[in-house]
Amino acid sequence: MSEFSRTLSSGTLRVTPTGGMRQLDELFELAERRNPKRAFLFVSKVLGRHIPVAPGIMRSVYRQLAEQFPTLEAGPVLFIGMAETAVGLGAGVFDELRHQAAEPVYLTSTRHPVPGELLCEFKENHSHATDHLIYLPDDAELRRRVLNARTLVLIDDEATTGNTFINLLDALQSAGLTQFSQVIAVTLTDWSGDALAQRCALPIATVSLVQGDWHWEPNPDAPVPVMPEVNVTATGSVPITGRQSWGRLGMATPAADLGTHMTFQPGEKILVLGTSEFVWEPFLLAERLEKAGAEVKYSSTTRSPIATGFAIQSAIAFTDNYGLGIPNFVYNVAHQQFDRILLCAETPAASIDTALLDALRQVAPRVEVISYE
C-alpha cells in the first residue's frame, strides 16, 4: 500500500498506511473544508454521501466491515451511528450483523430534536456542527435493549483522534449506561492509532477497511476559511412527517417501506438522493431498484461546507428542508447526467427548496420528490 499525499491551498496532508484490506485511493479522496477548525476532509468514495455510489458497492462495504467483527458477547448489543455522515453506514453495518446478535438495537445521534426522551448529548469538537443528541427508543423492548446493552458498537466514517467516540462513551456512561463489557469502534478509515485503546477503560476492538497515520503541514499564508452558519441543533419550522423507524428513535429491523410503488424502464439511469440524516430508507429504495435492473447511483444532501476542487467536482447550494434556514449542499451531481432523480425526504414535498429542484432539473429531465405523505 502506497502513501497518499495531497497539497491543498491550506496545507499538505500525507497519509501513510499501516494496514488494511484496500488501497487508500480506492476508498477516499481529499477536499478542503470551509471550516477554520480543520482544513481538510477525507471524502469517501464508498459512503454515498458526497460522491454518488452504486448501492451494491455500499452494501459490499457494510459486509466487509461486518466480517471483521469479533464475537459478540451475550446480551443486548447497542449500535450507534454518527449524524449526519455515518447514519447510513451505521444502519448498513447493523443490517449485516443484526442476525448475529440475540438482542440488537440501532440508534443514531441526531441534530434534529424530535418528541421523545433524551438519553444524552455529546460534542464532535472539530465538526461543522458540534452538538449531537441521542434519544431513547419509544418502543419498550428497544428501550430495554439500550438500557441493558452489554456490547456497544460505535460507527463513524473515519477516526482521526478518537475524540468523538470517547466523548460519546463518556456521555452514555454519565447517562447511566455503565454496564458495557465490550466496545467496538467501526470506521471506514482509521487514522487514530492506539488512541482509543489508551483512553478507553473498557476492552475495545477497532474495525476498519484501512488504517494509517496522517501528518498535516499547514500553509501559514493560507487565508482562514469562512464557514457558513450550519452549527445548528434545533427543531425547524417544518414538521418531520416521515416515520422514525430507521434509527433516531431506535430500529430493530429495517422497514424498507419508502417508494415501494416505484417502477423504472430497463437500463434507466437513476440517482437516488437522501436528505440530511434521512438516508437509510432511501438507500434501501436505491438498492431495490438496482437489484431489479436499473442503473442506480446513491448520494445525499449534506450540511457539510466543502470547497470545490480535488474530490468535489461540482456543488449545488440551497436551503435546508427542515425550516432551519441553514445552507445545504449536494456534491458531485451537477456535472453529471441522469434519466431520473428521486429526492427522498422525511419532510413534506413542499419543504424542498426550489433552487435545489431547479438545479437537479439541469441534471435529469425527471425529478421526483419521494416522501411518506
Side-chain angles (χ1 to χ4, degrees):
M1 296 174 75
S2 53
E3 184 182 89
F4 178 97
S5 175
R6 294 289 184 273
T7 298
L8 311 176
S9 65
S10 48
T12 298
L13 183 81
R14 288 185 180 83
V15 181
T16 305
T18 56
M21 53 175 60
R22 303 280 283 269
Q23 292 294 325
L24 299 186
D25 59 5
E26 288 178 5
L27 289 179
F28 65 87
E29 184 48 80
L30 213 62
E32 299 213 48
R33 287 176 186 258
R34 293 158 62 192
N35 182 342
K37 287 182 281 189
R38 185 181 289 172
F40 59 90
L41 178 73
F42 294 101
V43 177
S44 173
K45 295 180 177 180
V46 298
L47 185 65
R49 172 65 72 167
H50 306 108
I51 297 174
V53 185
I57 290 174
M58 296 168 66
R59 178 64 73 174
S60 71
V61 165
Y62 307 153
R63 204 162 286 137
Q64 281 184 308
L65 290 168
E67 286 166 354
Q68 297 182 61
F69 261 62
T71 302
L72 296 172
E73 294 180 7
V77 182
L78 170 57
F79 295 75
I80 297 181
M82 301 288 191
E84 68 182 352
T85 307
V87 164
L89 174 65
V93 171
F94 170 80
D95 198 30
E96 290 296 320
L97 286 160
R98 61 191 170 91
H99 300 294
Q100 297 177 31
E103 301 171 275
V105 57
Y106 179 61
L107 277 180
T108 74
S109 72
T110 183
R111 298 185 179 106
H112 296 283
V114 292
E117 185 178 342
L118 193 66
L119 172 62
C120 67
E121 304 175 49
F122 69 99
K123 286 194 179 290
E124 183 182 8
N125 297 333
H126 68 268
S127 177
H128 53 275
T130 55
D131 297 339
H132 290 250
L133 310 174
I134 293 185
Y135 286 89
L136 279 167
D138 47 10
D139 176 84
E141 169 57 19
L142 296 188
R143 180 178 287 226
R144 184 194 67 78
R145 293 180 189 183
V146 170
L147 295 174
N148 293 283
R150 301 284 297 162
T151 299
L152 174 64
V153 182
L154 303 176
I155 305 134
D156 208 350
D157 57 322
E158 47 113 354
T160 44
T161 63
N163 285 343
T164 306
F165 281 154
I166 294 297
N167 290 351
L168 173 51
L169 180 59
D170 288 347
L172 291 169
Q173 291 177 320
S174 297
L177 273 64
T178 56
Q179 72 288 348
F180 300 124
S181 57
Q182 178 185 33
V183 179
I184 304 168
V186 184
T187 54
L188 294 171
T189 52
D190 185 0
W191 319 124
S192 63
D194 58 359
L196 280 171
Q198 288 183 356
R199 296 170 60 192
C200 182
L202 295 167
I204 187 162
T206 56
V207 170
S208 61
L209 297 184
V210 296
Q211 306 85 47
D213 300 317
W214 60 272
H215 175 71
W216 173 250
E217 191 67 48
N219 173 4
D221 300 322
V224 176
V226 177
M227 186 171 73
E229 187 51 58
V230 295
N231 190 10
V232 177
T233 298
T235 303
S237 60
V238 175
I240 293 175
T241 53
R243 297 171 192 144
Q244 298 295 296
S245 55
W246 47 263
R248 204 182 269 141
L249 291 172
M251 174 172 70
T253 307
D257 59 357
L258 182 72
T260 51
H261 61 287
M262 301 304 301
T263 59
F264 63 93
Q265 300 300 315
E268 192 172 6
K269 199 174 172 187
I270 300 173
L271 172 66
V272 179
L273 283 175
T275 44
S276 184
E277 296 169 12
F278 183 62
V279 292
W280 175 241
E281 288 297 337
F283 164 77
L284 293 178
L285 168 60
E287 186 176 50
R288 190 161 69 244
L289 292 173
E290 182 185 51
K291 285 179 175 175
E295 187 183 329
V296 183
K297 291 287 177 67
Y298 180 78
S299 194
S300 179
T301 70
T302 175
R303 65 165 74 184
S304 182
I306 315 173
T308 51
F310 300 94
I312 305 300
Q313 296 180 56
S314 63
I316 300 169
F318 54 97
T319 302
D320 78 281
N321 55 302
Y322 294 90
L324 294 166
I326 62 174
N328 274 203
F329 309 93
V330 171
Y331 296 112
N332 291 313
V333 168
H335 68 283
Q336 300 201 57
Q337 288 294 311
F338 295 91
D339 298 319
R340 193 167 161 205
I341 295 176
L342 306 179
L343 177 65
C344 304
E346 60 174 354
T347 54
S351 66
I352 304 299
D353 187 353
T354 54
L356 172 59
L357 296 176
D358 290 345
L360 294 178
R361 289 187 187 110
Q362 303 298 309
V363 177
R366 291 181 66 187
V367 177
E368 301 165 56
V369 179
I370 310 297
S371 70
Y372 285 109
E373 289 174 275

